[in-house]
Every structure is written in C-alpha cells, then in structure tokens.
Amino acid sequence: MTPGAQARTLALPENASAHGHRIDALMASSHLLEAVLAAVMLGWLVLAVGRFRRAPPTAVDGGTRRSRLWVMGLAVVAVGVVDGTLFVRSLGYLDEVLWNFSTPVNHPDTVRLELNAHQWAWEARYAGEDGRFGTADDVVTWNDVRVPVGVPVWVQLVSSDVVHGFALPNFRVKLDAVPGRVNQTWFQAAREGVWEVACYQHCGTSHYKMRGELTVLSPRGYAAWLREASRQAAQAYDAADTAAHWGWAWRDAP
Ligand SMILES: [Cu+2]
C-alpha cells in the first residue's frame, strides 16, 4: 500500500505511534458521551412531541422558575461532563506526553530532527555522524524523513515562507510551521513501515503536492542509512552553497 493510502472507511488512519492510542481513546470517549447526549435530547424531544401533540403546552407548562432551573441545571451538567472530561484528559495527555520533553531529553538514543517547511516540500536535517548540526556531514533529505523504531524523535520545525502544518496522520502528530520561530514536538514510532508526511494548512497553489514519506526503520537499518548518508554528505559538502545551510544550532531547552 502506498503511504497515506488506506481503505475508505470512517475510521481514523491506522495508528503507528507509541502514544497515538491516547488520542484515539480521547476521541472515542468524547464521541460516546456526545452520542449519549444526542440520544437523551432526541428521546426527550420525541416524548415532548407525543405528550403535547393533542394538547399544546400552555404558559403554565414552561417559563416558570422551576422549569428554567431544570433546563439551566441540565445544560451545566451536560457541558461539565462532556467538555470537562475532554479538558481533564487532554491536560493529562499534554502533561504526560506532548509537553513532556524530559522523555526525549533523557533518552540516550533520541533522534534530533530539524525540519524546514517551504512551498512545497519538507526538508529534513540530521546532525550526521558527528552528532552536531551545522557541520559538513549534516544529512539533508527532501520529502523523505527516516527514523528508527522505538526511540523518541524530537522535531524542531521552521518555515521559510508561509505557515505550513506538519502532520503525521498515522502518529496523531500536528504542529504549525511558522516563519520566524522554532516549534517543537516529539513522537515515537511503534513499528516499522512507511507513512505519510502531510501539510495540513493550505499554503498556496501546490499545497496538495506538499507531502513526503516517513520511513520507520529498525535501529540497525537506521544507523546504517545515517552513516552512509552522512559520509556522502561530507563528500558533497559545498561551503559556498549558502542555500543548503538553513539549519540552526539545536535548542536543548524547549
Ligand atoms: Cu504547506
């Protein structure tokens, strides 16, 4: 199957990330609560129609203080339960995963990745064999992001023209690429495979073409690829080619 292709169903794209199930569970619980709420409201409507079909309600049946309190109370409870659950569980996800950069900071094998979004492609930069950005052996790829399975991938993202949206649908990752700032996120692949890198902000006439491949390799396969790509990059390095030197010094404290 080509990346991004999937059977036409209403289901979410297949989850290939170590934390994507938390987003899926959040959406599933929200949908369940909304379905319950919709069923209650529709049931209530049907009951009211049945009850008042022959004898329309009089002013005495509604508009009283008691009925207003009932309606207000139910509305507050419904919003509190549905949105409150979503809010609290979202905070948990942010604290434990999305904003928890201690995981990529502390993991010895974390892959650091600089991404440059531009009309209409994704450029990725790896530090290369020397582990430092901005040196001759930096590996730069075009619409071709490669990461190892099972380790954190720490992304720092910029845009060199307009606002783009970095999206890994199979990893439940979305991050704005904004000119003039470095945004950060991290994710971890749960298994090997080839997945889609998409742009989720309309960014110009060829926005629809702005897609790449995310290839998740075995740790050994990744190390072998990076070693060889880094060697070739060092050989092909041209100090005068300033357009190729768009990287930045890694920012360790997000
Ligand atoms: Cu774009």
Side-chain angles (χ1 to χ4, degrees):
M1 205 158 65
T2 54
Q6 61 170 335
R8 288 188 184 280
T9 69
L10 289 176
L12 290 168
E14 179 189 356
N15 170 40
S17 133
H19 304 105
H21 65 276
R22 293 186 57 149
I23 295 285
D24 295 0
L26 199 62
M27 289 183 67
S29 66
S30 298
H31 289 159
L32 183 68
L33 285 171
E34 285 151 12
V36 169
L37 201 58
V40 168
M41 288 191 294
L42 284 171
W44 198 331
L45 198 64
V46 168
L47 273 178
V49 167
R51 183 173 163 192
F52 295 112
R53 184 155 42 180
R54 296 194 198 290
T58 62
V60 179
D61 293 315
T64 62
R65 188 180 146 78
R66 187 164 165 265
S67 70
R68 278 200 295 268
L69 280 176
W70 251 106
V71 170
M72 289 298 292
L74 281 173
V76 168
V77 168
V79 169
V81 171
V82 177
D83 295 75
T85 307
L86 191 59
F87 180 67
V88 169
R89 293 187 62 187
S90 299
L91 284 185
Y93 177 76
L94 290 174
D95 280 345
E96 290 159 32
V97 182
L98 202 61
W99 292 345
N100 184 8
F101 279 91
S102 64
T103 308
V105 166
N106 295 329
H107 198 292
D109 297 326
T110 291
V111 171
R112 288 168 172 76
L113 194 58
E114 293 185 352
L115 277 181
N116 181 15
H118 51 83
Q119 291 170 318
W120 286 275
W122 301 101
E123 271 186 281
R125 178 179 294 271
Y126 300 79
E129 279 289 276
D130 67 359
R132 292 190 302 127
F133 284 94
T135 56
D137 76 344
D138 280 10
V139 173
V140 177
T141 65
W142 190 274
N143 286 335
D144 177 16
V145 181
R146 302 185 188 204
V147 301
V149 71
V151 301
V153 178
W154 183 354
V155 174
Q156 295 192 349
L157 175 70
V158 299
S159 166
S160 44
D161 38 46
V162 300
V163 176
H164 297 272
F166 173 64
L168 303 175
N170 299 91
F171 289 71
R172 314 297 188 251
V173 167
K174 277 187 169 181
L175 186 68
D176 283 349
V178 182
R181 59 171 293 152
V182 178
N183 280 344
Q184 312 200 40
T185 190
W186 73 278
F187 63 90
Q188 186 167 317
R191 61 180 171 281
E192 295 170 38
V194 182
W195 317 97
E196 180 186 17
V197 180
C199 179
Y200 69 82
Q201 299 274 11
H202 187 264
C203 56
T205 50
S206 294
H207 159 70
Y208 70 98
K209 285 192 205 165
M210 189 165 169
R211 63 196 312 202
E213 280 187 2
L214 172 76
T215 306
V216 179
L217 300 159
S218 68
R220 281 182 69 182
Y222 172 78
W225 167 75
L226 189 69
R227 202 180 310 116
E228 178 58 21
S230 183
R231 192 184 64 77
Q232 289 183 14
Q235 277 179 356
Y237 183 74
D238 179 359
D241 183 6
T242 50
H245 305 154
W246 52 261
W248 56 91
W250 189 260
R251 304 182 179 197
D252 257 322

